[in-house]
Amino acid sequence: MISPDDFAFFQRFLKQRSGLVLGEDKGYLLEARLLPIANTFGVSNLGALAERLRRPGATALEEAIVDAMTTNESSFFRDKTPFEAFRALMLPTLLRKRSVDQPIRIWCAAASSGQEPYSLAILLREEAAAIAGRKVEIVATDLSQEMLKRARAGLYSQFEVQRGMPVQLLLKYFKKQGDDWQIAPELRQMVHFRSLNLLSNFSALGAFDIVFCRNVLIYFDLATKADILSRIAKNLKPDGYLVLGGAETVVGVTTSFAPVAQQRSLYSLTQGQAPRAVAAA
Amino acid sequence: MTTCLVVDDSSVVRKVARRMLEDLSIEVREAENGAAAMDRCAEAMPDAILLDWNMPVASGPDFLRALRQREDGAAPRVIFCTTENDLDHIAAALEGGADEYIMKPYDAEILREKLEAVGVLKAAA
């Protein structure tokens, strides 16, 4: 537990450095995000971390803390809409269009701590009757080794499993591990995690039917966004889908994609873009 | 106005829940155990019920059983809100007719999402 003084100190520091307003009920968030940093910096608790932060010249630590706290919190079924579109539109459409022996390939391009790919894995299990044994592959990538380690373990705090996920799904797909909850091994096996920097060449990942690239482009400047999106376009099958975050858009960034009518956050390749490069993958 | 009955033997816990619910423009009534909760429901059936597990006089599961036997007792969305945090308790709650389950401690965001999940609150656009 963090002392009220230290909590107030972190609150002031975050407000000043990043504009982040940390509510009084967010002590758990501070611990969840900063304890890994405390470990990295060789201290065992948040009190000691605050002590380090108060010392002059703690620039690297300051940056690590701001970074950890301002990264969007992930949750299962985050924003709901894309997952509903996956279940009701994307998956049935692809199952109809693709031949039975053709695997459906999904890429989560900013998998973070794994909630997004695991939410998809859960939906695939829930839709098992429609899938009828056909192969669906989920590739989940993230830049951070730390995040990938967490994601692979599939361990989530009590707070995390209550975010966005109906308790019925918790009951079906998770087991308690001490204070945490772990997603079932058969769901963990459905997701292939690997480390990847979106700035590097990712054409070797092959062609996908759906790419989730949510809440990561916001961290890049316009030219970089455009570059990443145009390269994602090459890794997408001609009739595939791109899913962006709720606050993100392709408008004014790239002409490779256009919004799918009536579907928030959903994009498809623009005509004329589609055939190139993808066929080879 | 949407109404919620908060059933918990701790007045502090009821007060915290009341504040979070009132921030969501939900009208709150309180009961300190399962028996008192049945009385509140007989007066007026709420839209939602936040229900503790362990309470004197009549426990959360006792109350839920009695509620669901009432002719008008199927309507309220019942969300357990308890420190009991294992799969057995969750399974028993759902079998007993609960709609959702919150493990304490929780925050305003989890409460809001759970109320949305059971259809008591409309999801934010």
Side-chain angles (χ1 to χ4, degrees), chain A residues 25-26 28 73 75 80 158-159 161-168 170-171 174-176 179 181 264, chain B residues 20 85-87 90-91 94 98-110 113-114 116 123 125:
Chain A
D25 60 345
K26 292 286 192 269
Y28 75 92
E73 190 176 8
S75 75
K80 292 192 190 77
Q158 185 168 296
F159 271 98
V161 294
Q162 299 204 82
R163 287 260 135 77
M165 188 163 55
V167 76
Q168 288 82 358
L170 179 73
L171 191 60
F174 288 76
K175 286 271 178 291
K176 206 155 180 241
D179 290 336
W181 293 82
R264 198 151 55 90
Chain B
M20 290 180 186
N85 61 1
D86 57 83
L87 285 173
I90 296 173
L94 295 178
D99 298 288
E100 256 293 353
Y101 199 104
I102 295 174
M103 296 175 276
K104 291 175 187 168
Y106 62 102
D107 61 12
E109 205 179 320
I110 288 172
E113 285 184 354
K114 294 293 183 186
E116 284 174 9

Side-chain angles (χ1 to χ4, degrees), chain A residues 11 134 177 263:
Chain A
Q11 261 182 330
R134 289 168 64 176
Q177 291 281 357
Q263 297 288 332

Side-chain angles (χ1 to χ4, degrees), chain A:
Chain A
M1 285 300 286
I2 181 166
S3 78
D5 275 0
D6 288 331
F7 184 79
F9 172 71
F10 279 115
Q11 261 182 330
R12 280 197 306 278
F13 168 77
L14 288 164
K15 181 78 199 345
Q16 208 170 34
R17 276 295 301 265
S18 66
L20 181 79
V21 179
L22 194 68
E24 297 294 336
D25 60 345
K26 292 286 192 269
Y28 75 92
L29 187 63
L30 208 58
E31 297 196 347
R33 297 286 178 83
L34 297 192
L35 281 177
I37 293 180
N39 288 335
T40 309
F41 281 80
V43 296
S44 61
N45 59 56
L46 294 192
L49 193 69
E51 166 66 37
R52 280 285 192 90
L53 189 59
R54 286 186 180 100
R55 289 187 208 162
T59 320
L61 181 58
E62 286 178 14
E63 277 169 17
I65 288 173
V66 169
D67 192 47
M69 294 304 299
T70 52
T71 297
N72 274 313
E73 190 176 8
S74 192
S75 75
F76 289 96
F77 302 102
R78 180 171 176 196
D79 299 339
K80 292 192 190 77
T81 323
F83 296 97
E84 184 48 31
F86 173 73
R87 191 192 61 77
L89 173 74
M90 293 185 258
L91 186 62
T93 304
L94 291 166
L95 285 171
R96 202 174 56 241
K97 283 182 166 177
R98 303 287 182 258
S99 66
V100 176
D101 55 354
Q102 203 178 358
I104 291 170
R105 302 189 71 228
I106 305 165
W107 176 22
C108 293
S112 182
S113 38
Q115 283 98 329
E116 182 180 84
Y118 286 139
S119 298
L120 294 171
I122 288 171
L123 285 180
L124 290 172
R125 291 295 288 239
E126 292 284 296
E127 297 296 314
I131 293 165
R134 289 168 64 176
K135 200 166 180 283
V136 183
E137 191 186 340
I138 305 173
V139 177
T141 62
D142 200 89
L143 173 64
S144 157
Q145 294 291 350
E146 198 59 40
M147 280 296 173
L148 285 166
K149 212 168 105 188
R150 272 205 65 198
R152 280 195 189 101
L155 272 173
Y156 300 95
S157 74
Q158 185 168 296
F159 271 98
E160 288 173 313
V161 294
Q162 299 204 82
R163 287 260 135 77
M165 188 163 55
V167 76
Q168 288 82 358
L169 296 180
L170 179 73
L171 191 60
K172 258 168 113 167
Y173 298 116
F174 288 76
K175 286 271 178 291
K176 206 155 180 241
Q177 291 281 357
D179 290 336
D180 292 331
W181 293 82
Q182 187 167 37
I183 194 157
E186 58 268 31
L187 277 97
R188 293 213 302 281
Q189 283 161 16
M190 290 169 70
V191 183
H192 306 283
F193 288 100
R194 50 192 290 185
S195 127
L196 179 90
N197 186 341
L198 288 174
L199 299 177
S200 67
N201 183 342
F202 47 71
S203 59
L205 289 178
F208 290 94
D209 297 283
I210 306 173
V211 177
F212 282 78
C213 185
R214 304 197 301 149
N215 308 305
V216 62
L217 294 178
I218 42 174
Y219 297 107
F220 300 114
D221 62 28
L222 189 62
T224 312
K225 277 180 202 174
D227 169 56
I228 292 172
L229 283 172
S230 71
R231 287 185 294 119
I232 287 177
K234 292 177 190 166
N235 276 61
L236 194 65
K237 291 185 188 167
D239 55 354
Y241 300 96
L242 168 70
V243 187
L244 296 181
E248 296 167 323
T249 180
V250 301
V251 178
V253 183
T254 175
T255 52
S256 301
F257 291 97
V260 175
Q262 314 282 316
Q263 297 288 332
R264 198 151 55 90
S265 308
L266 214 58
Y267 300 85
S268 58
L269 289 166
T270 42
Q271 268 149 17
Q273 288 281 338
R276 54 172 197 166
V278 177

Side-chain angles (χ1 to χ4, degrees), chain B residues 37-100:
Chain B
M38 275 314 279
D39 294 344
R40 295 295 104 75
C41 288
E43 290 158 22
M45 204 50 88
D47 298 309
I49 300 170
L50 275 193
L51 186 60
D52 189 16
W53 194 284
N54 300 302
M55 291 175 290
V57 189
S59 71
D62 291 343
F63 163 79
L64 182 57
R65 207 172 302 117
L67 173 78
R68 293 307 194 205
Q69 276 165 9
R70 278 179 65 109
E71 206 167 300
D72 57 353
R77 303 293 91 198
V78 174
I79 304 174
F80 264 100
C81 195
T82 166
T83 50
E84 301 292 352
N85 61 1
D86 57 83
L87 285 173
D88 290 345
H89 277 87
I90 296 173
L94 295 178
E95 273 166 36
D99 298 288
E100 256 293 353

